[in-house]
Structure formats: C-alpha cells, structure tokens
Amino acid sequence: SSGGSSTGGSTSTGTLSLNNTDFTFSALSNPSVQMKVNGTSSTPTWSIGNTSVATISADGVVKPVGPGSTTITCTVDGQTLTCIVRCSF
C-alpha cells in the first residue's frame, strides 16, 4: 500500500540506470536494440507491456513488431526501471 517509488531504504550504493529510457524504431533504424542496466552486475528480468508493438528477449534484445508505443520494465536488485519504446512504421 505504498504510493512512492523513490523513497530510499535501499542498501544499494549505486544508482541503477538503463542505457535507454525512450527510443523510437523507425523504418530506417536498426532492427533491434540491446538494453543494458548500468550500475549492477546482477542479471535483470525484462518484460514488455504490449508485444504487438515490440518484443524483448531474456537478454534484453528489443525488436519492433508493429506501430504504437509500449513500456519495457526491467527488474533488478529489487528496483524497477522502465523504458518507453515507440514504433513509427
């Protein structure tokens, strides 16, 4: 029943971040994007909201599927990071 997400209490020393937080697949872009987490050596868990827009593999490779936008969710070290993915073709 907690409403806040960035209210400390973690014993982690570094701040985790994704190599991308918002990107767009266009017809001319790379056919895939490799997502990475900076600040941890732990293995992240990847999921994506709408698999009709894009898919993400267990090792963080994002591939476009169809037009629209969706959100990648990464869970690692008890933290949740997100990245917006847009497909414009």
Side-chain angles (χ1 to χ4, degrees), residues 18 20-21 23 25 33-35 45-50 54-57 60-63 69-75 80-86:
L18 296 176
N20 293 295
T21 57
F23 66 88
F25 285 113
V33 169
Q34 174 69 60
M35 295 294 297
T45 300
W46 301 101
S47 63
I48 196 160
N50 187 344
T55 60
I56 190 163
S57 68
V61 177
V62 188
K63 294 183 178 177
S69 65
T70 188
T71 302
I72 293 169
T73 302
C74 168
T75 306
T80 301
L81 308 171
T82 59
C83 172
I84 298 168
V85 182
R86 306 170 204 270

Side-chain angles (χ1 to χ4, degrees), residues 36-57:
K36 293 185 173 71
V37 180
N38 305 312
T40 182
S41 57
S42 303
T43 302
T45 300
W46 301 101
S47 63
I48 196 160
N50 187 344
T51 54
S52 68
V53 174
T55 60
I56 190 163
S57 68

Side-chain angles (χ1 to χ4, degrees), residues 12-36:
S12 169
T13 54
T15 301
L16 302 185
S17 64
L18 296 176
N19 61 331
N20 293 295
T21 57
D22 187 334
F23 66 88
T24 301
F25 285 113
S26 67
L28 299 175
S29 74
N30 296 328
S32 67
V33 169
Q34 174 69 60
M35 295 294 297
K36 293 185 173 71

